[in-house]
Amino acid sequence: MKIAIIGGGISGLSTAYYLKKFSLPVTEIVLYEASSRFGGWIDSKKVTLNNEDIYLEKGPRTLRLTTGELKEINSIKLANDLNLSSNIEIISKNHPASVNRYIYFNGQINVIKPKLIGKTPLMSKGLLRYFFKELRSPKRDSSIEDETIWSFISRRLDSEIAENLIDPVFKGITGGDVRNLSAAALLKTFYDYEDNFGSISKGAFNKARNPIMENYEKYHDLLELRDKYRHQSVWRFKDGMQKFTERLAEELSKYENVKLCLNDPVKSVSRKNDKMSLLSNNSHQDFDMVISSVYSKINNQFLSDEYVSLKESLSKIEAVNMVVVNFVFKDDLLPFKGFGYLVPTNQKSPILGCIFDSVFNKPQEKNTCLTVMLGGAWYDEYLKNKSSDQIKKLAFTEVRKHLNIKVDPDYEDISILKEAIPQYRVGHNKLLSQIKNQIKEYGLSEKLYLTGFSYDGIGINDCIFNARKLVQDDYSTI
């Protein structure tokens, strides 16, 4: 079977890797990447300051291990399988980056540390009050399939929790507004708890008493590793996250029947008899199957117009523009150690948050490295028509005020990332079902597959694990 993969980011590369890893009957894989590099939004840049090498990230910088979910274990296993273990730095749950996370609120940086009884700067009541309210809150009407995260959290807990805690957290994760984002898609576990048990708390209690045994034969390699990483929080690559995608590309290039094509955008894709015809900038080939891992809307640039309703559905998954500004100082300037801080919408700040990258420094490293995130759902409100220099100045003005920084940065960089993060808005799950049905109606079942961050998880762990599931669960049954 000859397979085309569109997109050379983490999803496309992972899909190609798993097709080879599981020794499936593939005669040839051709991976098309429109740009001059592999990696997509994973993009690391090395700068040297005071003889110290510093890796700046335009996209993700760490991967979670906190919950022990299979998708988390799968990513670090992949890194080890790629012989990257010497480049991996695992951050324990006791590290300042894990323990200390902050929110800027009412003119000061506040640690997220709720009390059982009594108020904090972020919460006017103790956790017990919210807990008892959640237990007593009525279950949503069965006719409601989805709602905003804001609505769900306000209804079950309190609007204060939604506004001061959940809002900034999802700004940091998705760049999106919880007043539009889907609870059913992005808080699936908690939403299902309410549906099945009447409340989040009762669902959590039930899971603790009756843990689901994940005896998936196909994932036995992951289940065996759970205990090893049980007490860890996150992990990263010492030489930048780009190491991951570079090594994936290197590994794939070793196979004679895998062709990696850079600077080769796909122009058209359509079904011709029992084949999929693909025209790219540099070639025209027929394939048995096409797997597209690019952002959903990009598919509309090459899918045939005969798939009109499918293209309309794919265009409904909007994505926000993000801006990442890196500031580096030669000295240690942070007043406290932690992962960084986020800013709730009610604080009317142009920044979404600030990551303290230098929290991972070794003792001998004295620099301060900050990554400021801007844009997202508020791109037009704060950044539209502003130049790169104006945005950098805006970002530094904010962090200078928030962190009381007295000196100018010794190095700064900016990246404006267009349509960087897909937004799972209310009705997202229903839209995915519609897309799946349309692929079937157009006779594209087992011919066209969609994967990547537009559909079922925007994180790297999601993208890698979804690529594996696509290969093991879908392709292997054909």
Side-chain angles (χ1 to χ4, degrees), residues 231-249:
H231 302 295
Q232 311 306 331
S233 176
V234 298
W235 62 282
R236 68 179 194 135
F237 290 103
K238 299 172 188 176
D239 295 338
M241 191 63 69
Q242 190 171 312
K243 200 76 177 176
F244 211 170
T245 48
E246 287 177 347
R247 183 58 61 85
L248 271 170

Side-chain angles (χ1 to χ4, degrees), residues 46 102 206 241 250 263 265 314 344 364 423 460:
K46 184 173 82 169
Y102 301 90
N206 183 272
M241 191 63 69
E250 288 172 13
N263 299 305
L314 291 170
Q364 69 273 17
Q423 301 294 284
I460 293 181

Side-chain angles (χ1 to χ4, degrees), residues 226-280:
R226 266 189 170 160
D227 286 343
K228 180 178 180 179
Y229 300 110
R230 187 174 299 278
H231 302 295
Q232 311 306 331
S233 176
V234 298
W235 62 282
R236 68 179 194 135
F237 290 103
K238 299 172 188 176
D239 295 338
M241 191 63 69
Q242 190 171 312
K243 200 76 177 176
F244 211 170
T245 48
E246 287 177 347
R247 183 58 61 85
L248 271 170
E250 288 172 13
E251 184 68 19
L252 290 168
S253 67
K254 296 176 182 177
Y255 297 100
E256 291 185 2
N257 65 340
V258 176
K259 185 178 181 182
L260 304 178
C261 306
L262 289 172
N263 299 305
D264 197 6
V266 173
K267 302 294 187 181
S268 69
V269 173
S270 61
R271 181 164 185 172
K272 301 296 183 184
N273 299 316
D274 64 338
K275 300 289 184 180
M276 295 295 286
S277 175
L278 187 151
L279 174 66
S280 75

Side-chain angles (χ1 to χ4, degrees), residues 142-153:
S142 59
S143 64
I144 300 175
E145 295 181 356
D146 198 1
E147 63 187 296
T148 67
I149 291 175
W150 173 271
S151 168
F152 177 58
I153 297 299

Side-chain angles (χ1 to χ4, degrees), residues 1-5 25-30 269-278 285-291 443-449 475 478:
M1 182 171 283
K2 184 178 178 182
I3 298 177
I5 297 174
V26 178
T27 57
E28 185 179 4
I29 298 171
V30 182
V269 173
S270 61
R271 181 164 185 172
K272 301 296 183 184
N273 299 316
D274 64 338
K275 300 289 184 180
M276 295 295 286
S277 175
L278 187 151
Q285 301 187 59
D286 289 337
F287 293 91
D288 298 293
M289 179 191 299
V290 172
I291 301 173
L444 298 174
S445 295
E446 302 182 357
K447 292 295 180 184
L448 174 67
Y449 288 92
Y475 177 79
I478 296 174

Side-chain angles (χ1 to χ4, degrees), residues 93-110:
K93 291 182 179 179
N94 297 320
H95 191 280
S98 307
V99 176
N100 301 324
R101 299 189 178 227
Y102 301 90
I103 287 179
Y104 180 80
F105 186 74
N106 285 347
Q108 64 181 12
I109 306 288
N110 301 276

